[in-house]
Amino acid sequence: MARNKEAMVLLLDVGPSMHGVLQEVKNICSTLLVYNRSDEVGIVLFGTKGTCNDLAKELGGYKHVTVAHDIKVVDEGTAQTLQNLPVGSVPVLDAIVVGLDMVIRKFGNTKGKRRLCLITSAQHPLRDPPEGSKEDQVDTIADQMKKHDIKMECIVFRELGLHHNAVMEENDRLLYQFRNRSVAKVVQVDSPTSLLGALKTKNVLPVTVFRGDLEVSSNFRIKVWVYKKTAEEKFPPLKKYSDKAPPSDKFASHEVKVDYEYKSVVEPDKVVPPDQRIKGYLYGPQVVPISTAEWEAVKFKPEKGVKLLGFTDRSSISRHHFMKDVCLFIPEPGNTKATLAVSGIARAMHQMNKVAIVRCVWRQGQGNVAFGVLTPNISSVNNVQDSFYFNVLPFAEDIREFQFRSFSSLPSSSRPTEEQQEAADNLVKMLDLAPPGREVLKPEFTPNPMLERFYSYLDLKAKQPDANVPPLERCLRRITEPDPDVIDQHKPLIQNLGKSFELKENPKKKKARTQDRLEYVGAGDQVKSLEEPSLEKDGVREVLYPPTENIGEIRDSNPVKDFEAMLAKRSSSTCIQTAIEEMQRYTSVLLENSRDGDNYQKALECFAALRRACIIEQEPQEFNQFLRKIYERLKGRDIANFFQLLSSKNISLISKEEASDSDVTEEMARSFYLKQEGASQ
């Protein structure tokens, strides 16, 4: 059997205890078939009224077990069998033996991937074996599964709140005996949604991404193997299909092949051969050609290996910084020294609440380096070794900081009250999917709704080409929509949130009329507009400025308000920088045009607003450089009183205590004006 092919036998319980979820069983198995179109699949039903299997014919017994579909490549008959599942009345678990017998008869001792998929409620007793105990029978079956390298997945469905009796406990013990013999995986689910996600559609053969040394120091290395623990399940690659081939051509592949031709700009009719082409990269308006040989010469080619850089507290590594897939570091199989070394380090890290920072290059000549964290994974099972989980950490260029304005920067009328804040906090807490005692939508039992929807519709279109997209199924609605039980349980919190906030209709904003945007300033007023147009009439100056929501520059009428409006606009990634630069320009002109300190008060307000904004927006360097430059430019003029005014209002450099990106200490900020005066003298 090919490496990527698999033989699988579905063992489906159709007894009374499964009648409520038979539709979900059909859905999950149909999706499984679409995933595994090239695999060989057999279907065994147990709990049926009739009996149809080879063991019953040859040996007797094995009643109410029906082989509904022999092991063969998936076809329309396989799907049709699943859609016509009978409803049985006497469920038994002899299907395991029947399924095992089917696989052995079909493949014998040949190698390949084979598995049994058992879906049952396990609520009815096993029949007593002719010889020995039930435990002995399980051991005999497990020995045969090991001998023929057959694995089994057992999915036990029992609704939440169901009372466990002695029969169910016995069945669970026998199924877990398979697991203890390392031939089966047992999963218990309590809802149709969990049932849909419990059966894995595809078994991925684990492949190491690295085999080599974990270098702790120059003279201490540990042999480790690294596997991928998780991987993103992606949509299948969709190929272009052509219907241009004649229907009579049985060997037509219907594939669409795309060929590209490169032609010279000078000679449009001439095709440029591959050996005369070179890649070009835009650098501004210029195209820079870089050959393959030049690329190879400048490529970063690190040496293969994993190096330990150091240890740090677990609390210093944020969970939201983890990137990409998770890997598992295990000691080299069969290497006792490596096992002891990994276990010793892992347990010491766990005891001290530490994690390790490592630098990884998985392959020789790899172009990129993985920088990540090792978290100890202490095993609670005797025959399972201690190991490490590896998560990739971001470099500085990978981090995107999203700064949000604090409520304290808003006017008092716009700030939420304590009652409103508490109502919002309670709403967020209500949305917790892992409340104490119960976890909703467990990741290991929750299928990807997009993939499930895609494959389900693909299966429908294969049968009915003109079929429309069906409505969302019940199980997928439980994943994509709010849980009704959670909503009902926290209904008072939701109602309280609505009562805490007054909802008002947002009226349509009309364009402001010209007369509504006039500001009359007395003729004797010394404050002059820097750039805005004005009309002089009868000793009264009329100044026009646009409404706040359309502010694009700082106006003389209310510069601080205009600056805050520009900050709040955020229509592009450069809005913050533009607003800061505009405020700096305005403040500089204001001071340069000041006569006898007439603009000092307004300049002081602008400086305070600019400093406050640079702290909130994490741009301390912008303010600090501006303050230094304007001091250097104006220190020779009669403007010392203004800087004394700034000093008296504690408007100095932004320190590291106020903004983490600043390179100014609190002492440097406090003594800025004193040092400048000393340097001037």
Side-chain angles (χ1 to χ4, degrees):
M1 187 182 293
R3 178 186 176 89
N4 59 342
K5 300 290 182 66
E6 182 180 46
M8 175 175 56
V9 177
L10 295 171
L11 310 177
L12 307 180
D13 187 347
V14 294
S17 57
M18 293 291 290
H19 291 177
V21 290
L22 279 183
Q23 185 58 48
E24 281 71 25
V25 172
K26 294 178 185 179
N27 294 341
I28 184 177
C29 294
S30 297
T31 304
L32 193 68
L33 297 182
V34 178
Y35 264 99
N36 302 276
R37 280 290 179 186
S38 59
D39 293 344
E40 296 183 71
V41 176
I43 301 174
V44 175
L45 309 179
F46 58 98
T48 57
K49 292 180 180 180
T51 301
C52 181
N53 62 81
D54 291 339
L55 289 179
K57 296 174 184 177
E58 297 173 3
L59 305 176
Y62 300 98
K63 295 181 179 180
H64 308 292
V65 179
T66 300
V67 177
H69 189 273
D70 290 324
I71 301 175
K72 60 181 181 179
V73 177
V74 175
D75 57 11
E76 292 183 8
T78 314
Q80 191 65 30
T81 301
L82 287 172
Q83 295 306 316
N84 299 319
L85 291 182
V87 176
S89 59
V90 188
V92 293
L93 292 177
D94 287 344
I96 297 177
V97 180
V98 174
L100 179 61
D101 178 68
M102 288 176 63
V103 176
I104 295 175
R105 287 174 186 262
K106 175 77 174 180
F107 300 103
N109 294 321
T110 59
K111 293 185 178 180
K113 292 193 296 182
R114 291 140 196 169
R115 61 170 167 155
L116 307 177
C117 298
L118 173 67
I119 303 177
T120 180
S121 62
Q123 294 185 27
H124 296 266
L126 288 163
R127 69 178 178 87
D128 292 324
E131 297 180 0
S133 64
K134 295 176 183 178
E135 288 76 9
D136 294 336
Q137 186 184 28
V138 169
D139 286 337
T140 302
I141 297 172
D143 290 338
Q144 288 295 315
M145 294 176 69
K146 275 189 174 181
K147 179 180 177 181
H148 296 277
D149 195 21
I150 299 172
K151 299 294 184 181
M152 181 169 64
E153 291 181 54
C154 302
I155 301 175
V156 181
F157 172 77
R158 290 176 187 147
E159 292 182 330
L160 194 65
L162 182 67
H163 177 69
H164 282 218
N165 54 37
V167 172
M168 295 162 63
E169 290 177 358
E170 181 188 40
N171 290 338
D172 288 348
R173 187 179 72 253
L174 294 173
L175 289 177
Y176 278 103
Q177 188 175 338
F178 280 109
R179 188 195 67 175
N180 295 336
R181 293 293 305 274
S182 302
V183 295
K185 176 183 177 183
V186 182
V187 173
Q188 296 208 10
V189 296
D190 56 16
S191 69
T193 302
S194 300
L195 177 62
L196 190 63
L199 183 59
K200 304 306 177 188
T201 53
K202 183 170 60 176
N203 281 339
V204 180
L205 187 67
V207 179
T208 55
V209 296
F210 174 82
R211 295 187 186 188
D213 295 335
L214 168 59
E215 186 178 335
V216 180
S217 65
S218 58
N219 56 359
F220 180 24
R221 299 167 184 244
I222 305 172
K223 294 288 184 182
V224 295
W225 285 15
V226 182
Y227 290 92
K228 272 196 174 184
K229 179 68 174 174
T230 62
E232 181 185 358
E233 184 74 17
K234 298 181 179 179
F235 277 94
L238 303 179
K239 299 179 181 178
K240 292 182 178 180
Y241 177 88
S242 173
D243 59 354
K244 299 299 182 183
S248 58
D249 188 356
K250 297 181 180 180
F251 301 100
S253 63
H254 298 282
E255 292 184 6
V256 177
K257 294 184 179 180
V258 181
D259 291 328
Y260 294 93
E261 287 187 348
Y262 295 85
K263 297 185 178 181
S264 171
V265 178
V266 181
E267 302 179 59
D269 297 333
K270 182 179 179 182
V271 177
V272 181
D275 58 342
Q276 296 182 16
R277 301 177 202 155
I278 187 171
K279 286 186 177 181
Y281 298 87
L282 284 175
Y283 185 76
Q286 184 180 1
V287 177
V288 180
I290 301 179
S291 66
T292 305
E294 290 172 327
W295 263 126
E296 289 297 322
V298 300
K299 259 186 181 178
F300 177 57
K301 298 177 182 178
E303 292 291 326
K304 174 184 174 181
V306 177
K307 293 185 179 181
L308 176 69
L309 302 182
F311 298 95
T312 184
D313 292 332
R314 187 190 292 258
S315 59
S316 63
I317 304 296
S318 300
R319 174 66 182 84
H320 64 274
H321 283 162
F322 291 173
M323 303 173 65
K324 301 183 179 179
D325 302 322
V326 182
C327 289
L328 184 68
F329 275 64
I330 65 171
E332 183 182 51
N335 190 328
T336 306
K337 291 183 178 179
T339 303
L340 291 174
V342 168
S343 180
I345 295 175
R347 290 177 182 270
M349 289 168 58
H350 179 73
Q351 187 176 3
M352 300 174 68
N353 202 27
K354 298 283 186 180
V355 293
I357 307 299
V358 292
R359 174 186 182 272
C360 304
V361 180
W362 306 125
R363 297 180 303 276
Q364 186 67 33
Q366 180 177 311
N368 60 319
V369 175
F371 170 78
V373 56
L374 289 181
T375 306
N377 175 36
I378 307 302
S379 173
S380 58
V381 183
N382 292 333
N383 58 348
V384 178
Q385 302 165 331
D386 295 333
S387 56
F388 294 105
Y389 287 132
F390 173 77
N391 292 92
V392 178
L393 293 177
F395 291 97
E397 294 81 6
D398 298 322
I399 298 178
R400 301 290 182 269
E401 294 288 353
F402 295 97
Q403 298 294 333
F404 298 96
R405 296 181 67 183
S406 171
F407 285 146
S408 60
S409 64
L410 299 175
S412 57
S413 60
S414 301
R415 297 177 190 173
T417 63
E418 290 186 7
E419 180 186 358
Q420 292 172 336
Q421 187 68 55
E422 183 182 3
D425 290 344
N426 290 334
L427 178 69
V428 174
K429 293 175 184 177
M430 181 199 84
L431 301 176
D432 186 6
L433 290 176
R438 181 170 179 256
E439 184 178 359
V440 184
L441 299 180
K442 294 182 179 180
E444 60 268 29
F445 299 143
T446 304
N448 186 324
M450 293 189 297
L451 285 172
E452 291 291 332
R453 181 82 161 147
F454 171 78
Y455 280 109
S456 176
Y457 186 50
L458 183 64
D459 179 54
L460 178 62
K461 288 286 283 184
K463 302 169 186 173
Q464 305 174 27
D466 299 329
N468 295 322
V469 179
L472 202 62
E473 295 173 359
R474 179 184 61 169
C475 293
L476 297 185
R477 284 204 305 270
R478 298 282 293 188
I479 300 172
T480 58
E481 297 177 359
D483 189 337
D485 296 337
V486 175
I487 299 299
D488 291 340
Q489 184 180 355
H490 297 92
K491 202 168 185 178
L493 293 178
I494 300 174
Q495 293 174 345
N496 185 44
L497 181 71
K499 293 176 183 177
S500 301
F501 292 88
E502 182 183 359
L503 301 180
K504 296 181 180 179
E505 184 180 355
N506 188 14
K508 238 182 181 179
K509 293 183 179 180
K510 299 179 180 179
K511 290 185 178 180
R513 295 176 298 173
T514 303
Q515 55 266 34
D516 294 336
R517 291 184 275 124
L518 295 179
E519 180 186 5
Y520 294 89
V521 181
D525 198 324
Q526 297 298 321
V527 180
K528 301 294 181 182
S529 174
L530 296 175
E531 296 179 355
E532 59 195 8
S534 61
L535 301 174
E536 195 81 28
K537 184 178 180 182
D538 298 331
V540 177
R541 185 169 63 88
E542 299 177 358
V543 183
L544 302 177
Y545 65 99
T548 304
E549 60 269 18
N550 294 324
I551 288 294
E553 59 181 347
I554 307 296
R555 306 283 183 167
D556 190 59
S557 309
N558 197 333
V560 173
K561 184 178 179 181
D562 292 347
F563 176 56
E564 291 177 349
M566 291 181 69
L567 291 173
K569 191 174 181 182
R570 298 180 185 269
S571 59
S572 68
S573 58
T574 60
C575 278
I576 302 300
Q577 187 65 29
T578 302
I580 292 174
E581 291 175 356
E582 184 68 16
M583 192 57 160
Q584 291 174 351
R585 181 198 62 79
Y586 176 83
T587 307
S588 299
V589 175
L590 199 64
L591 288 176
E592 289 174 354
N593 292 344
S594 178
R595 297 292 181 271
D596 299 326
D598 56 350
N599 289 344
Y600 282 2
Q601 186 59 38
K602 181 171 285 192
L604 176 66
E605 295 173 1
C606 293
F607 261 97
L610 179 62
R611 190 178 191 276
R612 182 170 59 252
C614 287
I615 293 175
I616 294 173
E617 303 297 342
Q618 291 293 307
E619 297 287 352
Q621 298 294 350
E622 291 286 339
F623 180 83
N624 292 345
Q625 292 175 8
F626 172 67
L627 182 58
R628 291 188 181 108
K629 287 180 181 178
I630 201 168
Y631 187 92
E632 288 296 322
R633 191 165 74 245
L634 301 178
K635 66 180 181 180
R637 299 174 53 178
D638 186 19
I639 201 171
N641 291 337
F642 175 72
F643 291 105
Q644 291 178 4
L645 181 62
L646 287 182
S647 178
S648 66
K649 299 295 183 180
N650 294 324
I651 300 178
S652 182
L653 300 175
I654 298 174
S655 66
K656 186 180 289 291
E657 283 71 15
E658 297 173 287
S660 58
D661 291 343
S662 175
D663 56 359
V664 176
T665 64
E666 192 173 359
E667 178 62 28
M668 292 168 61
R670 192 164 42 250
S671 60
F672 171 72
Y673 295 108
L674 296 176
K675 288 184 177 181
Q676 300 298 326
E677 290 175 5
S680 300
Q681 292 173 1

Short mmCIF file of all heavy atoms in Angstrom, two decimals, residues 645-663:
data_model
loop_
_atom_site.label_atom_id
_atom_site.label_comp_id
_atom_site.label_asym_id
_atom_site.label_seq_id
_atom_site.Cartn_x
_atom_site.Cartn_y
_atom_site.Cartn_z
N LEU A 645 8.68 79.52 31.90
CA LEU A 645 7.26 79.20 32.07
C LEU A 645 7.01 77.71 31.87
O LEU A 645 6.27 77.08 32.63
CB LEU A 645 6.42 80.02 31.08
CG LEU A 645 4.90 79.82 31.14
CD1 LEU A 645 4.35 80.23 32.50
CD2 LEU A 645 4.22 80.63 30.03
N LEU A 646 7.66 77.12 30.84
CA LEU A 646 7.54 75.68 30.61
C LEU A 646 8.07 74.90 31.81
O LEU A 646 7.46 73.91 32.25
CB LEU A 646 8.30 75.27 29.35
CG LEU A 646 7.73 75.64 27.99
CD1 LEU A 646 8.62 75.10 26.89
CD2 LEU A 646 6.32 75.11 27.82
N SER A 647 9.21 75.34 32.35
CA SER A 647 9.83 74.65 33.48
C SER A 647 8.92 74.71 34.71
O SER A 647 8.77 73.73 35.44
CB SER A 647 11.19 75.26 33.79
OG SER A 647 11.78 74.64 34.90
N SER A 648 8.27 75.87 34.92
CA SER A 648 7.38 76.01 36.08
C SER A 648 6.15 75.13 35.97
O SER A 648 5.56 74.74 36.98
CB SER A 648 6.96 77.48 36.23
OG SER A 648 6.14 77.88 35.14
N LYS A 649 5.74 74.80 34.75
CA LYS A 649 4.58 73.93 34.53
C LYS A 649 4.98 72.46 34.36
O LYS A 649 4.14 71.63 33.99
CB LYS A 649 3.82 74.39 33.28
CG LYS A 649 3.28 75.81 33.36
CD LYS A 649 2.21 75.95 34.45
CE LYS A 649 1.65 77.36 34.47
NZ LYS A 649 0.61 77.50 35.53
N ASN A 650 6.27 72.15 34.63
CA ASN A 650 6.79 70.77 34.51
C ASN A 650 6.65 70.20 33.10
O ASN A 650 6.44 68.99 32.92
CB ASN A 650 6.09 69.84 35.51
CG ASN A 650 6.42 70.19 36.94
OD1 ASN A 650 7.55 70.59 37.25
ND2 ASN A 650 5.43 70.07 37.82
N ILE A 651 6.75 71.05 32.10
CA ILE A 651 6.71 70.60 30.71
C ILE A 651 8.15 70.49 30.24
O ILE A 651 8.76 71.45 29.75
CB ILE A 651 5.90 71.56 29.83
CG1 ILE A 651 4.46 71.66 30.34
CG2 ILE A 651 5.91 71.09 28.37
CD1 ILE A 651 3.59 72.62 29.58
N SER A 652 8.72 69.32 30.43
CA SER A 652 10.11 69.06 30.06
C SER A 652 10.16 67.83 29.14
O SER A 652 9.13 67.43 28.58
CB SER A 652 10.94 68.84 31.32
OG SER A 652 12.30 68.64 30.99
N LEU A 653 11.34 67.24 29.01
CA LEU A 653 11.48 66.05 28.18
C LEU A 653 10.62 64.91 28.74
O LEU A 653 10.38 64.83 29.94
CB LEU A 653 12.94 65.61 28.12
CG LEU A 653 13.94 66.61 27.54
CD1 LEU A 653 15.36 66.07 27.67
CD2 LEU A 653 13.63 66.91 26.09
N ILE A 654 10.16 64.02 27.85
CA ILE A 654 9.39 62.85 28.27
C ILE A 654 10.37 61.77 28.71
O ILE A 654 11.25 61.36 27.94
CB ILE A 654 8.51 62.33 27.12
CG1 ILE A 654 7.50 63.40 26.70
CG2 ILE A 654 7.78 61.05 27.52
CD1 ILE A 654 6.67 63.02 25.48
N SER A 655 10.22 61.30 29.94
CA SER A 655 11.16 60.33 30.49
C SER A 655 10.71 58.90 30.21
O SER A 655 9.57 58.65 29.77
CB SER A 655 11.30 60.54 32.00
OG SER A 655 10.07 60.24 32.64
N LYS A 656 11.61 57.95 30.48
CA LYS A 656 11.32 56.52 30.28
C LYS A 656 10.19 56.05 31.20
O LYS A 656 9.44 55.13 30.86
CB LYS A 656 12.59 55.71 30.52
CG LYS A 656 12.46 54.23 30.20
CD LYS A 656 13.75 53.49 30.46
CE LYS A 656 14.79 53.85 29.43
NZ LYS A 656 14.44 53.30 28.08
N GLU A 657 10.04 56.69 32.37
CA GLU A 657 8.97 56.31 33.28
C GLU A 657 7.60 56.66 32.70
O GLU A 657 6.60 55.99 33.01
CB GLU A 657 9.14 57.02 34.64
CG GLU A 657 10.21 56.41 35.53
CD GLU A 657 11.63 56.69 35.01
OE1 GLU A 657 11.80 57.57 34.15
OE2 GLU A 657 12.58 56.00 35.47
N GLU A 658 7.54 57.67 31.84
CA GLU A 658 6.26 58.07 31.24
C GLU A 658 5.97 57.32 29.94
O GLU A 658 4.81 57.05 29.62
CB GLU A 658 6.27 59.58 30.97
CG GLU A 658 6.38 60.43 32.22
CD GLU A 658 6.56 61.90 31.90
OE1 GLU A 658 7.67 62.27 31.44
OE2 GLU A 658 5.60 62.67 32.06
N ALA A 659 7.03 57.02 29.18
CA ALA A 659 6.87 56.29 27.92
C ALA A 659 8.06 55.35 27.77
O ALA A 659 9.22 55.79 27.80
CB ALA A 659 6.79 57.24 26.73
N SER A 660 7.80 54.07 27.59
CA SER A 660 8.87 53.07 27.60
C SER A 660 9.86 53.25 26.44
O SER A 660 11.00 52.81 26.53
CB SER A 660 8.27 51.66 27.55
OG SER A 660 7.45 51.53 26.39
N ASP A 661 9.43 53.88 25.33
CA ASP A 661 10.31 54.05 24.18
C ASP A 661 11.28 55.20 24.33
O ASP A 661 12.14 55.42 23.47
CB ASP A 661 9.47 54.26 22.91
CG ASP A 661 8.71 53.00 22.51
OD1 ASP A 661 9.08 51.93 23.01
OD2 ASP A 661 7.76 53.10 21.72
N SER A 662 11.15 55.96 25.39
CA SER A 662 12.03 57.12 25.59
C SER A 662 13.40 56.66 26.06
O SER A 662 13.55 55.65 26.76
CB SER A 662 11.40 58.07 26.60
OG SER A 662 12.29 59.13 26.90
N ASP A 663 14.44 57.43 25.68
CA ASP A 663 15.80 57.15 26.14
C ASP A 663 16.26 58.19 27.18
O ASP A 663 17.45 58.33 27.45
CB ASP A 663 16.77 57.14 24.96
CG ASP A 663 16.73 58.43 24.16
OD1 ASP A 663 15.94 59.34 24.51
OD2 ASP A 663 17.48 58.54 23.16
#
